[in-house]
Amino acid sequence: MRGIDPETGEYLGPSRSEQRREALDIRSLGEKLVALAPAHLAKLPIPEGLLEHIYETQRITSHIAHKRQLQFLAKQMRRESDETLDAIRDAMEVGGDAKRRETAILHTVETWRSRLLEDGDAALAELLSEFPSADRQHLRQLVRNAGEERKKNKPPHAYRELFRELRELLAESEAGTDEDQDEA
């Protein structure tokens, strides 16, 4: 019996509220796993039997049946060890960090592109001081072409190309920073 210890009066196991919170946490994890693409699921440390249940849940489209299958998935997940579930959570959080870094890079790229189009050579000089490996002539040409496209209401080919160039430049810089940290 899990209830109260007759000698000390202390609870021997988790309370019902605590058990419910854990169950809801596992169900939430199951919902997140079902929402992931198969390629992303393959990268996570999920046991084979559990992976089959996740794919089955993804396959079901009927709302009530999907909900019922999700409950079954959560039940199967509760049978897994805490270490397994923690490993899955940790692996998902690492992916979240990568996604946040990617989003931050895209925001930075967008900011640089806007500054280059608005401030011209002053922003280009600042960009080149921060990223000395950048191709000055190519970037200047893209900025000039993107400005012309805007004035003439043309399709934004150079505008998009400028974004791609800046993204590559920042990604190279980010990779260089990661390698420097790994060496340290």
Side-chain angles (χ1 to χ4, degrees):
M1 183 175 136
R2 282 197 140 185
I4 300 175
D5 184 2
E7 294 176 16
T8 62
E10 294 180 20
Y11 285 104
L12 297 176
S15 68
R16 286 187 66 198
S17 298
E18 195 173 334
Q19 290 173 342
R20 178 148 174 78
R21 279 191 296 272
E22 288 174 9
L24 289 173
D25 184 45
I26 290 175
R27 179 159 187 218
S28 173
L29 177 62
E31 289 173 353
K32 291 175 186 173
L33 290 172
V34 168
L36 295 175
H40 192 68
L41 284 171
K43 296 177 185 175
L44 297 175
I46 301 173
E48 190 62 36
L50 198 55
L51 203 54
E52 292 173 13
H53 292 297
I54 292 170
Y55 290 142
E56 180 66 20
T57 306
Q58 288 177 332
R59 189 184 64 76
I60 296 174
T61 58
S62 170
H63 177 68
I64 297 299
H66 182 79
K67 189 174 179 181
R68 193 169 38 246
Q69 184 66 24
L70 195 56
Q71 285 293 100
F72 180 71
L73 172 64
K75 180 180 179 182
Q76 298 304 316
M77 290 174 68
R78 284 193 297 274
R79 292 181 178 170
E80 296 293 329
S81 69
D82 289 340
E83 292 80 25
T84 302
L85 296 176
D86 288 341
I88 293 170
R89 284 186 189 102
D90 289 344
M92 287 179 69
E93 287 176 11
V94 167
D97 278 349
K99 193 168 196 99
R100 281 190 288 280
R101 269 199 310 269
E102 179 67 24
T103 302
I105 287 174
L106 292 178
H107 285 298
T108 305
V109 167
E110 187 60 44
T111 302
W112 273 113
R113 180 171 64 176
S114 298
R115 287 189 56 206
L116 286 169
L117 292 172
E118 291 170 12
D119 300 341
D121 287 338
L124 183 62
E126 191 176 328
L127 178 76
L128 291 170
S129 70
E130 200 168 316
F131 304 100
S133 64
D135 183 358
R136 172 189 294 268
Q137 288 180 326
H138 185 61
L139 287 172
R140 182 175 282 148
Q141 182 69 38
L142 288 173
V143 170
R144 188 172 30 248
N145 289 347
E148 290 295 318
E149 287 173 352
R150 274 188 167 177
K151 288 178 188 173
K152 296 180 181 179
N153 270 341
K154 287 188 171 185
H157 296 297
Y159 187 74
R160 291 180 183 143
E161 181 63 26
L162 179 60
F163 185 87
R164 281 190 286 272
E165 287 290 324
L166 290 170
R167 186 178 60 201
E168 286 177 21
L169 187 64
L170 265 69
E172 288 172 11
S173 170
E174 184 81 14
T177 304
D178 289 345
E179 288 173 9
D180 292 344
Q181 289 176 353
D182 290 343
E183 290 174 8

